[in-house]
Amino acid sequence: MKIALVHDYLTQRGGAERVFEQICKHFPTADVYTSIYDPETTVQLGARHVHTTFLQNVPGTRKYFRLFAPFYYAAFRSLNLKEYDLIISSSSSFAKGVQKRPDAIHICFCHNITRFLWDTNTYLREYGVYSLLQPLIELIFKIMRRQDFDYAQSPDYYIANSTTVAQRIRDVYKKEALVINYPIADCRFTFSDQKDDYYLVCSRHISYKRLDIIVEAFNDLGLPLIITGEGPKMKHLQAQAHSNIKFLGQVSDLERCNLMAKAKFVVVSALEDYGLVPIEANASGTPVIAYGAGGVLDTQVAGLTGILFEQQNAQSLTKAIITAQDMDWNYAKIRDHAIANFAEAVFFDKVDQLIGEICSSKSTHQEIFKT
């Protein structure tokens, strides 16, 4: 069986890219495709040859890849994948639109619907160009939404990373999705039951991550907080933060893992589609304080792996922090829960079983989505 692996673009190192990196390692002989590839800024694919589209040679696309959004579907539709029996796309936007021959199978690991099209204000509000050009952008996006819906019908099967994303796929694309929670690279995380006196945030500094809530809460509490990551909201957050809050910017994977292992708690205030950070924290033996909506409902057990706060505001977060401080945490059980449910081996056992059922034609489409 000839397999192609396809990802939206490989120009950054986010959660979706880390999952795609694991998929590539699991299928070492598969051919890899993407729209734009910058090996210096994305996941490690070793010596793998990465096939790209015509956008690869357009000046500025690697740095300003988001500005070329209207051209991505044309780029992916131009790929010739007719020699492949199985296409596995990893997509939160465009890669799901690739074409295949009629008897081939396309399985889409969908990280989310195309969020900037269907939740535009939340996703783009911190970008000044959106406010300036909103009427023109909305006109373009109206056309792109029709394209997105049409091309979303291309995959034969959808795998969603959470029940939240599966529901969005049903609501927006009118397609059924099987939920298989995505894995962490569990071998990278070090367990520690010796915690230092600080709380930790690992996040991009953009509006929907709601780091403003965390800064406000820790300003009031005066507890030590370390924030890693970068983004357009970074300077604003730094201006609001008191001296008990430290911003480290972008850190190495090794430093990030060490910080997670030693933190008292990892704090998450966003409504995450899925969210790898809480699971990574748990794999380090660290409990999580998270906003109780979205993907964390699939991954966290209140009282065992962390605390969930009900309202997305500083007051609700503050109450959760105080509650968490007074609880006894079994760090080994936190780690065990993460490994038992979200390790790579667990994930790929499920994926291999599903692909086997699909490709053997022993199970119908309806039977597969009843599992």
Side-chain angles (χ1 to χ4, degrees):
M1 177 183 292
K2 194 160 187 181
I3 302 174
L5 308 178
V6 190
H7 189 70
D8 295 322
Y9 32 68
L10 292 170
T11 55
Q12 57 186 355
R13 187 177 177 82
E17 286 73 32
R18 293 200 296 273
V19 171
F20 186 66
E21 180 183 29
Q22 292 168 291
I23 292 172
C24 288
K25 289 179 180 177
H26 189 69
F27 297 98
T29 61
D31 292 335
V32 179
Y33 288 83
T34 191
S35 58
I36 306 165
Y37 177 47
D38 186 350
E40 295 182 359
T41 60
T42 191
V43 294
Q44 300 299 313
L45 297 179
R48 296 281 279 272
H49 176 66
V50 178
H51 302 267
T52 58
T53 69
F54 61 80
L55 290 174
Q56 181 75 10
N57 299 317
V58 177
T61 53
R62 298 189 194 187
K63 185 175 182 180
Y64 303 106
F65 59 93
R66 291 184 179 89
L67 298 180
F68 291 83
F71 303 99
Y72 281 103
Y73 276 128
F76 278 106
R77 299 296 278 188
S78 71
L79 292 174
N80 183 359
L81 303 182
K82 292 183 178 180
E83 63 181 293
Y84 296 98
D85 307 297
L86 174 63
I87 297 169
I88 299 175
S89 63
S90 162
S91 181
S92 54
S93 51
F94 309 105
K96 61 182 178 287
V98 294
Q99 299 186 86
K100 65 179 182 67
R101 68 173 192 266
D103 63 323
I105 296 169
H106 179 181
I107 301 173
C108 177
F109 287 80
C110 187
H111 310 290
N112 203 351
I113 60 174
T114 309
R115 189 165 185 173
F116 74 88
L117 292 177
W118 302 100
D119 190 12
T120 304
N121 186 57
T122 299
Y123 192 85
L124 296 182
R125 62 188 175 190
E126 73 265 22
Y127 296 100
V129 69
Y130 174 64
S131 299
L132 291 172
L133 302 175
Q134 186 174 1
L136 175 61
I137 291 174
E138 183 54 36
L139 181 63
I140 295 171
F141 280 10
K142 185 176 181 180
I143 297 170
M144 289 184 67
R145 287 187 195 105
R146 290 198 295 268
Q147 285 184 317
D148 191 57
F149 178 85
D150 289 343
Y151 293 148
Q153 310 310 304
S154 300
D156 300 294
Y157 298 91
Y158 274 95
I159 297 176
N161 53 13
S162 71
T163 54
T164 296
V165 170
Q167 187 60 53
R168 290 176 185 167
I169 293 169
R170 285 191 288 269
D171 291 344
V172 175
Y173 296 149
K174 311 304 178 187
K175 300 278 284 187
E176 286 300 316
L178 183 68
V179 177
I180 302 180
N181 296 138
Y182 289 178
I184 56 164
D186 45 286
C187 60
R188 294 181 179 175
F189 296 93
T190 303
F191 170 76
S192 176
D193 57 5
Q194 302 299 312
K195 304 301 182 183
D196 291 339
D197 188 24
Y198 65 86
Y199 294 70
L200 178 66
V201 172
C202 298
S203 173
R204 288 176 293 159
H205 300 357
I206 54 180
S207 293
Y208 83 87
K209 295 292 187 178
R210 298 308 308 270
L211 300 192
D212 57 311
I213 292 172
I214 301 176
V215 169
E216 183 181 347
F218 278 84
N219 278 345
D220 291 340
L221 291 168
L223 296 170
L225 174 68
I226 294 175
I227 300 178
T228 69
E230 296 176 344
K233 287 292 182 180
M234 185 171 184
K235 290 183 179 179
H236 175 76
L237 293 166
Q238 287 175 317
Q240 299 299 314
H242 293 177
S243 60
N244 58 301
I245 302 175
K246 295 181 180 180
F247 291 80
L248 299 187
Q250 206 68 37
V251 299
S252 68
D253 284 350
L254 178 59
E255 185 176 359
R256 183 171 172 271
C257 291
N258 290 336
L259 287 167
M260 278 193 172
K262 292 294 187 178
K264 290 179 69 173
F265 297 92
V266 168
V267 185
V268 178
S269 55
L271 196 170
E272 295 286 4
D273 313 317
Y274 179 49
L276 290 175
V277 167
I279 311 170
E280 292 170 344
N282 291 164
S284 309
T286 302
V288 172
I289 301 172
Y291 174 49
V296 296
L297 298 179
D298 284 15
T299 66
Q300 298 300 302
V301 180
L304 173 65
T305 65
I307 290 288
L308 304 180
F309 57 96
E310 296 180 356
Q311 303 296 322
Q312 203 176 27
N313 57 48
Q315 293 74 28
S316 186
L317 171 56
T318 298
K319 183 179 178 181
I321 293 169
I322 294 170
T323 299
Q325 286 179 321
D326 294 334
M327 296 179 64
D328 291 326
W329 297 95
N330 188 319
Y331 302 125
K333 285 188 176 180
I334 293 172
R335 161 81 173 179
D336 290 346
H337 178 269
I339 300 303
N341 292 281
F342 307 108
E344 288 184 79
V346 175
F347 173 75
F348 284 111
D349 280 349
K350 295 176 181 177
V351 169
D352 289 342
Q353 181 180 352
L354 176 65
I355 291 175
E357 291 175 359
I358 290 171
C359 294
S360 68
S361 301
K362 291 180 180 179
S363 299
T364 66
H365 191 281
Q366 290 76 15
E367 288 172 337
I368 287 170
F369 282 99
K370 285 180 181 179
T371 58

